[in-house]
């Protein structure tokens, strides 16, 4: 890729692109900033959805028509796949793309343009950006777009979840679920293999989404016998968080306060408001055994009443999380 000499105008535009993507007017604001240094007349952002392995058009401006199936058609072209490996924008009309351009662009008056593959900083592919013009684009167009492609890649990143990261301490692994059950990665957090291989997590997410809860905490014993601290938060998944979903995060732990698995079950029932006989019936225990467990629990947590015990359990997320 050729180098360019950056002027103050270029630097200002690059800064504005980053600001708009991060928290300003998003894609349209970023492209408005880019248009100050490149005379782009039209653009289209196409996202790659890792959950389906397919491409789809997200948003466009300037094009009189955008064929929904054209995104997947273009991404299958051999020249574009080669452009992905080199991360170099592909110029309109390059060998192997002629038929595509004659079908989708030339009939509407577009004479020059290029397509840039978009990768976020860690090297993950998120989609592509088409830009077009009815006249000739300046020779530095590809270089300039390459310079900001890492920033623009966040526009097409469908793994982004709209959550408050301050609500989740370090050390957690996370996944997100749409209400329909589709699992997605969460940008900025390492994926959780434990959650991903547990089919019932999608049902837990659906139950949470349908509830009025803003968050949920608990302790989960996974299929391998490892206890995990689990937190569930509401999240908007997909482009601009448009799909209602939930983020579930976990990290390995040991039961706090030296509580046993049975004591956690009793503790969970107390937090639900069950009486000793109700707990005994639910866990198939004698009332005397339940009473003994409660004596141990009160001693371990330093509580002297069920009310204080329940308050502490809910505040610290000590309930056992049972999957649907």
């Amino acid at each position: 890729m050729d180098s360019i000499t950056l002027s103050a105008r270029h630097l200002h535009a690059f800064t504005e692109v980053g600001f708009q993507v991060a928290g300003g007017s998003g894609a349209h604001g970023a492209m408005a900033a880019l248009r100050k240094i490149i005379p782009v007349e039209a653009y289209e952002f196409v996202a790659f959805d890792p959950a389906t392995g397919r491409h789809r058009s997200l948003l466009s401006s300037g094009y009189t028509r955008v064929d929904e199936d054209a995104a997947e058609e273009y991404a299958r072209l051999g020249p574009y796949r080669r452009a992905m490996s080199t991360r170099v924008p592909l110029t309109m009309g390059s060998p192997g793309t002629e038929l595509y351009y004659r079908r989708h662009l030339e009939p509407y008056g577009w004479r020059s343009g290029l397509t840039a593959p978009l990768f976020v900083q860690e090297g993950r592919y998120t989609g592509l950006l088409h830009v077009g013009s009815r006249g000739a684009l300046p020779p530095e167009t590809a270089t300039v777009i390459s310079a900001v492609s890492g920033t623009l890649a966040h526009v097409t990143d469908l793994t982004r979840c709209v959550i408050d990261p301050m609500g989740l301490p370090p050390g957690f692994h996370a996944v997100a679920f749409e209400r329909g059950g589709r699992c997605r990665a969460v940008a900025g957090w390492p994926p959780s293999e434990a959650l991903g291989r547990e089919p019932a997590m999608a049902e837990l997410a659906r139950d949470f989404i349908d509830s009025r809860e803003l968050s949920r905490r608990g302790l989960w014993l996974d299929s391998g016998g490892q206890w995990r601290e689990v937190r569930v938060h509401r999240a908007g998944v997909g482009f601009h968080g448009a799909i209602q979903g939930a983020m579930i995060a976990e990290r390995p732990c040991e039961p706090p306060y030296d509580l046993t698995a049975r004591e956690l079950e009793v503790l969970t029932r107390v937090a639900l408001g069950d009486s000793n006989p109700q707990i005994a019936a639910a866990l198939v225990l004698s009332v005397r055994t339940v009473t003994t467990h409660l004596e141990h629990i009160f001693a371990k947590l330093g509580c002297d009443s069920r009310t204080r015990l329940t308050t502490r359990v809910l505040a610290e997320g000590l309930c056992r999380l049972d999957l649907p």
Side-chain angles (χ1 to χ4, degrees):
M1 182 62 61
D2 296 333
S3 62
I4 58 174
T5 301
L6 294 179
S7 65
R9 192 164 59 94
H10 283 91
L11 291 173
H12 176 77
F14 288 174
T15 302
E16 186 66 16
V17 167
F19 170 76
Q20 294 295 342
V21 171
S25 301
H28 294 306
M31 292 306 295
L34 200 58
R35 280 169 156 171
K36 294 178 181 178
I37 55 175
I38 300 177
V40 171
E41 295 182 59
Y43 59 84
E44 179 192 8
F45 283 93
V46 173
F48 172 71
D49 189 344
T52 62
R54 294 182 60 82
H55 293 76
R56 64 183 180 89
S57 178
L58 280 184
L59 52 89
S60 65
S61 176
Y63 292 116
T64 56
R65 174 183 173 186
V66 175
D67 294 323
E68 189 62 34
D69 59 346
E72 189 65 25
E73 178 186 343
Y74 189 87
R76 288 197 300 263
L77 294 177
Y80 180 67
R81 293 191 176 278
R82 289 191 292 274
M84 285 179 60
S85 65
T86 61
R87 303 193 184 184
V88 175
L90 184 64
T91 304
M92 179 185 292
S94 296
T97 68
E98 301 93 340
L99 180 60
Y100 178 92
Y101 284 115
R102 283 200 298 269
R103 179 184 303 152
H104 297 288
L105 295 167
E106 289 182 353
Y108 303 99
W110 304 107
R111 293 294 176 262
S112 63
L114 56 83
T115 298
L118 302 176
F119 293 82
V120 291
Q121 187 175 10
E122 61 266 29
R124 180 167 46 83
Y125 174 69
T126 65
L128 55 92
L129 167 65
H130 293 299
V131 298
S133 176
R134 290 182 171 84
L137 288 170
E140 70 270 19
T141 298
T143 304
V144 170
I145 289 181
S146 290
V148 295
S149 62
T151 301
L152 294 175
H154 292 284
V155 171
T156 56
D157 187 2
L158 295 185
T159 70
R160 297 174 71 185
C161 290
V162 183
I163 61 170
D164 177 11
M166 298 300 292
L168 194 63
F172 279 84
H173 290 61
V175 294
F177 288 93
E178 299 175 10
R179 193 188 178 285
R182 179 175 291 167
C183 182
R184 294 185 178 274
V186 180
W189 296 94
S192 169
E193 294 182 4
L195 296 175
R197 63 172 175 258
E198 175 52 69
M201 281 297 166
E203 184 62 30
L204 173 69
R206 184 181 300 110
D207 174 73
F208 174 76
I209 293 167
D210 290 342
S211 74
R212 295 185 177 181
E213 298 172 80
L214 296 178
S215 63
R216 186 184 296 180
R217 296 176 60 182
L219 299 170
W220 170 50
L221 185 63
D222 69 19
S223 58
Q226 171 66 59
W227 284 99
R228 297 180 185 273
E229 178 186 354
V230 175
R231 301 193 183 193
V232 189
H233 296 274
R234 291 194 175 275
V237 302
F239 183 59
H240 285 182
I243 304 172
Q244 190 179 39
M247 186 199 73
I248 305 180
E250 58 79 18
R251 62 181 175 186
C253 70
E254 294 298 328
Y257 305 107
D258 291 326
L259 292 165
T260 66
R262 180 61 83 182
E263 287 169 350
L264 285 171
E265 290 178 328
V266 172
L267 195 57
T268 301
R269 290 286 171 176
V270 171
L272 291 173
D274 287 357
S275 64
N276 285 12
Q278 288 173 320
I279 296 173
L283 301 181
V284 193
L285 299 172
S286 68
V287 174
R288 182 179 180 84
T289 300
V290 171
T291 301
T292 300
H293 282 313
L294 277 172
E295 290 173 353
H296 294 160
I297 291 169
F298 282 128
K300 289 180 178 181
L301 271 69
C303 295
D304 56 7
S305 70
R306 295 173 88 99
T307 300
R308 290 184 178 179
L309 185 65
T310 298
T311 299
R312 189 163 184 181
V313 166
L314 295 178
E316 298 184 24
L318 302 180
C319 287
R320 179 164 181 169
L321 191 65
D322 290 320
L323 300 182

